[in-house]
Structure formats: structure tokens, C-alpha cells
Amino acid sequence: MIITPERTGHLAQITAVTVLAIGIIVQKHLALRYPPADIVFIQFAVSAVIMWAACWALGLLPRRLAEIVPGVCWGFLMPGSVFLFTSAGAARTDGVSTALIWGLLPLLGPILARIFLGERIHWSLPFGAVITFAGLIVLTFDRQAVGAGDPYGNLLVLIGVLSAAGGQIIGRILNTGTAPWFRLATLQVTGGTMAAFVVAGLDGTWEVPPLADGPAMAALVYLVIGMTIINFVGLNLALSRIQVAWVALYNSLGPAIGTLTAVILLSSLIRPFDIAGIAIIVAGVATPHLMRIATNRRSGAKSPRQ
């Protein structure tokens, strides 16, 4: 198989979604003992230091303020405001509503990309997104909601989703410019660190996992390397090489991967609805790929032999 820039973009986003979904489970487990806002700030701050060191080693340090501000502002929006609004909304509404609202992201991606970027996409991409949303409904079916649905909480989560969708558009614009994608990833994490610092300050508490707490430190190492560095490097690489609709579609794999991670790490029970939902989500993501393969084969069959 020939490795093309487009294929590396697809692989990068799948990797980013995978490490992020696993990281959410690890983060929730760590947040049972330590303040969530402090955990997020630590993971972003340490990641930013590592990534800036890598930028220096690779000769990718920005030389002008104009090369810094857009990426940092983007990071303040995504993941900064995304985390702020989603966390605030999730605290007021139930988990099922939060998951279903986030399921709208793969549907919003193609629409916003068409409006603001003029990206032309095959009909199978939004069709696949609809299938993945159906899978998410099955995945959350008959789950016991923690708390009750709250309109204001749902609105806050929706603002978080819109921030994520808008952030992908901005990220695509930045990553198709002249700036290197690794530098943009570093600037994005820096902006996220600033936003996390604000949230941690509003939280009013500060507690760092002690070095003697081995499991907590191991979890924190994964949050830094996997959930933050690999995730944002993968996202920026993907945005530099594939359309926003593809990036958004792969996000739908998150709940499926998260469910399997919870089964493995937390010994959660897996239900028949979970298996069916995961299968439908995977089928939705695979649909555009299968359509491309079928189209290429038909085109090859029609072309004359040399």
C-alpha cells in the first residue's frame, strides 16, 4: 500500500480520536481523587513545555508575534472554551444528553466546512455521519441517566460542540497555511494551557497528585503523552491533509472507543445495546471508505486496458 499524505491524515485523526477517548476514561478515574480542573491544567502545562522544547530542537520556533497569536487564540477556543462550556453543561444535565449533543459534531462538520471553506464532499460523508449518530443513540439507549436533563445545561454543552466545530474550521485554515502543523499543535496546547489556568483559578482549589501515588502518576503520564501531545499533534497533522468532514466523522468513534476502554480498564459491563451501537458507529465511519473503494473499482473497470 502506498503511503500518501491523505492516508497519513486519516491515520493521524483516527489515532488522535483513540488516545483522546482512552484519555477521557483515565481522566475521569483520576478526577475521583483530585480536582479535575487541576488535573487538566497540569497535563496541558507539562505537555506545552515538552512541545516547546521539541519546537526548539526542530527549529520550528516562531519568530514573530503574528506567528504566535492565531494559534494560541485557537487553543483558547479549542480545547479551552470547549472544555469550559462542556464541563459546565455536563454538571447541570445528564450524561446521555451530553453524549447525544456531542454526536451532532460529525453532522455539523460537513455543513460548516461547505459554508466557510467551500469544501466539496461526497454525499457518503454526511450519510455516514447520520449512521454514526444512529449508533450513538443505540449506544446510549436505556442507560441510567445521572441527574436530569436541564435545558440550560444542554445549551452550554451545545455551545461547547459549536466551539469544537468552529475550532475545526479555524484549524483547517491555519494548517493549510504556511505555518508548520507541529508548531500549530504547540500553540494550540499553549492556548489550552492558558484556558485551563483560568478554569483552575475559578475552581479555587489546588492539589497535585504526589509522586508516591504510582497509579495516579502513571495516569498523569498518559494524559500528557497520549491525551494531549499525541492527540493534538495528530489533529493538526490531520487538518493539514484531509477535509474537515473527515476529521469530524472520525470523532464519532470516540464513544465507541470510550465504551470499550471502560470495559477493559474499569470492568464496566457491556450490554447488547453497546455492541450494536459500536457496530453501527463503525459501519457509519466505514461507509464513505467503502463507497470510495466501490467508485474506484467501477472507474478502473470502465477505463481501457493499456
Side-chain angles (χ1 to χ4, degrees):
M1 181 179 67
I2 300 175
I3 299 178
T4 63
E6 182 181 5
R7 285 175 176 167
T8 57
H10 287 288
L11 180 60
Q13 180 60 4
I14 292 173
T15 302
V17 171
T18 300
V19 295
L20 175 62
I22 296 172
I24 290 173
I25 302 300
V26 174
Q27 196 177 63
K28 285 183 178 180
H29 183 66
L30 195 58
L32 295 176
R33 292 182 289 164
Y34 301 101
D38 297 349
I39 295 299
V40 172
F41 172 69
I42 293 170
Q43 76 177 72
F44 270 87
V46 174
S47 300
V49 171
I50 295 173
M51 295 177 73
W52 276 112
C55 277
W56 173 79
L58 296 171
L60 296 177
L61 291 176
R63 293 176 172 81
R64 296 175 298 167
L65 185 62
E67 296 176 337
I68 299 175
V69 174
V72 171
C73 291
W74 176 39
F76 207 92
L77 171 67
M78 188 184 84
S81 63
V82 175
F83 171 73
L84 176 62
F85 284 111
T86 302
S87 299
R92 298 179 63 99
T93 191
D94 62 282
V96 173
S97 297
T98 300
L100 291 176
I101 294 172
W102 265 99
L104 296 174
L105 181 59
L107 299 171
L108 290 171
I111 297 173
L112 294 180
R114 180 62 177 166
I115 294 173
F116 294 103
L117 302 178
E119 289 188 351
R120 301 185 65 179
I121 59 173
H122 192 267
W123 62 267
S124 60
L125 272 165
F127 181 67
V130 172
I131 294 176
T132 62
F133 187 72
L136 182 61
I137 293 175
V138 174
L139 193 63
T140 56
F141 183 77
D142 200 32
R143 282 194 180 273
Q144 182 179 359
V146 179
D150 176 75
Y152 182 65
N154 291 341
L155 177 61
L156 290 175
V157 175
L158 180 59
I159 293 174
V161 173
L162 292 174
S163 298
Q168 290 182 347
I169 300 298
I170 295 173
R172 177 66 172 169
I173 294 173
L174 293 175
N175 276 283
T176 51
T178 58
W181 51 265
F182 188 89
R183 180 201 294 166
L184 286 171
T186 303
L187 293 170
Q188 185 184 13
V189 171
T190 302
T193 303
M194 295 178 179
F197 177 76
V198 173
V199 175
L202 294 174
D203 184 68
T205 61
W206 180 250
E207 186 176 358
V208 180
L211 293 175
D213 190 344
M217 293 308 299
L220 192 57
V221 168
Y222 178 82
L223 295 181
V224 170
I225 297 176
M227 188 180 183
T228 309
I229 296 177
I230 295 178
N231 171 32
F232 287 102
V233 167
L235 172 64
N236 281 269
L237 176 57
L239 285 171
S240 71
R241 300 188 175 185
I242 59 176
Q243 292 179 313
V244 169
W246 282 108
V247 173
L249 180 64
Y250 287 129
N251 283 324
S252 60
L253 291 171
I257 297 170
T259 299
L260 294 176
T261 302
V263 172
I264 296 171
L265 296 183
L266 306 180
S267 300
S268 299
L269 295 176
I270 188 165
R271 312 164 304 150
F273 281 116
D274 296 332
I275 298 173
I278 291 172
I280 295 172
I281 289 173
V282 172
V285 173
T287 295
H289 290 285
L290 295 175
M291 289 299 302
R292 291 178 69 178
I293 292 173
T295 301
N296 292 337
R297 285 182 176 176
R298 285 197 299 268
S299 299
K302 291 179 181 179
S303 61
R305 293 183 178 180
Q306 301 296 327

